[in-house]
Amino acid sequence: MRHKVVRVLAGAAAATFVVAGVAGCQDSGSDNNAGGASGECAGQIAIMGAITGSNSGLFLPSVQSAKMAIEQFNTKENCKVEPVEFDTTGSPTQAPQVAEQIVGKPAILAVIGGGFSGETKATMNKFAAGNVAMVSPSATAIELSEAGNSAFHRVVGHDGVQGAAAAGYLKDTLQAKKVFIVDDSSTYGAGISGELKKGLGALVAGEDKVQEKQSNFAATVSKVKSAGADVVAYAGYTNEATPFIKQLRSAGVTAKFVGFDGLYDANFAKGGAKDAEGAIVTCPCLPATKAGGTFSADFKSKYGADPGAYGAEGYDAAMILLEGIKAGNTDRAKLSEWVDKYDKAGVSKHLKFDEKGDIDRSKVVVWAYEVKGGKFEPLTDIKLS
């Protein structure tokens, strides 16, 4: 078994509604004994990630999907599972305190998240110590599953797969001649840019690093122009990518702009306005129309829009935990073991974790999307080598 830490759960307490904690933690639950008596179909599931903040558009579709899964499940099974949202704003410095709050609430059986790689890396040891299984819908850094952490699982492919797929797409489909690579120095950005460089080899015409919260990219724009690149590949998030692409276009750089799943965010497509038009992003996530069952129709009926980034994956993360609770795994240790052994088709793919917490590579998908009219349109399923 991957999970070896057993936590002694606290006694029952009256349910209360609390709004407290770091970065706007929204806790609507109690500190009772892990959802009630053994075998009762009840408990709490934390949802941790960028619920607010400049990059929240990447995480919110998975939050909505997870909450929809819980609502549907409770109605169908006559259960009392409660989602409890914890807002990290995606920050690796704020996330550890949020994780401590989650671990300190025995009613919470497991966590959906983190949403981003940096916050996941910063919290996974705390969750392992508390025997709290974490199932991420969107954290893709390779190092997360290489760390030997007992709590970590993800329902998406890692950046090794996405980076190789993106490199193949740039070479074979875009016919790129010179690629300039920029990353935001984050756990995620540095990881995916490194994998892209491996795949592109001699096609890399130059590279540069920027920083999160940076707003002036004049030096990087100058390097791109000097390199004569026909493709600019940006590994990072919306908050920096939006001003960067605007400054590239203002400087007369017409190179194709390519990003990765960190930019599969409605705020990038809209915020970049005409400058983002035609930009391409890759993502190890399914288009809404390709998800299984009635997921896409249910989402649109409930929220009035199609699912966004990692929507189907957020739904799958929730269902893994919900089915475990239904099967009677209403304490942390048992639910952790359930997740380790899970082997069933979800709406995004077949879900089975290896000993590192990764999904079987043969089940991973990577899609290319293009910004058209302020929205992402699916282009093609990139074939994996």
Side-chain angles (χ1 to χ4, degrees), residues 79-100:
C79 288
K80 298 178 182 179
V81 179
E82 183 181 13
V84 188
E85 297 177 32
F86 290 82
D87 187 6
T88 65
T89 71
S91 168
T93 58
Q94 294 181 11
Q97 294 165 278
V98 173
E100 289 173 3

Side-chain angles (χ1 to χ4, degrees), residues 52-239:
T52 65
S54 55
N55 296 316
S56 60
L58 179 62
F59 184 60
L60 286 177
S62 60
V63 176
Q64 293 174 309
S65 299
K67 290 169 70 175
M68 183 179 77
I70 294 170
E71 180 181 298
Q72 291 176 340
F73 179 82
N74 284 339
T75 300
K76 179 181 178 181
E77 303 296 341
N78 193 27
C79 288
K80 298 178 182 179
V81 179
E82 183 181 13
V84 188
E85 297 177 32
F86 290 82
D87 187 6
T88 65
T89 71
S91 168
T93 58
Q94 294 181 11
Q97 294 165 278
V98 173
E100 289 173 3
Q101 292 178 41
I102 294 171
V103 172
K105 294 182 176 297
I108 296 176
L109 303 179
V111 59
I112 299 170
F116 299 167
S117 293
E119 65 181 350
T120 303
K121 179 180 178 181
T123 58
M124 56 200 304
N125 286 340
K126 292 183 181 296
F127 287 124
N131 208 17
V132 179
M134 55 193 313
V135 184
S136 174
S138 53
T140 57
I142 296 175
E143 64 182 276
L144 300 177
S145 54
E146 294 297 323
N149 183 277
S150 62
F152 178 72
H153 308 78
R154 56 178 154 208
V155 297
V156 295
H158 59 58
D159 287 334
V161 180
Q162 184 183 186
Y169 183 81
L170 290 176
K171 290 187 290 187
D172 301 334
T173 302
L174 295 187
Q175 298 288 301
K177 304 302 179 187
K178 293 183 177 181
V179 181
F180 195 97
I181 301 175
V182 182
D183 75 63
D184 68 353
S185 304
S186 68
T187 298
Y188 162 72
I192 189 68
S193 68
E195 294 302 312
L196 185 65
K197 283 185 283 187
K198 290 179 186 177
L200 290 176
L203 291 182
V204 178
E207 58 184 291
D208 199 17
K209 285 187 175 292
V210 297
Q211 301 297 318
E212 293 181 274
K213 299 184 180 180
Q214 184 173 330
S215 59
N216 187 325
F217 298 92
T220 301
V221 170
S222 178
K223 292 177 183 179
V224 172
K225 293 183 74 172
S226 297
D230 59 332
V231 173
V232 176
Y234 183 79
Y237 297 104
T238 294
N239 192 56

Side-chain angles (χ1 to χ4, degrees), residues 41-53:
C41 190
Q44 296 178 350
I45 296 175
I47 303 175
M48 184 192 81
I51 294 170
T52 65

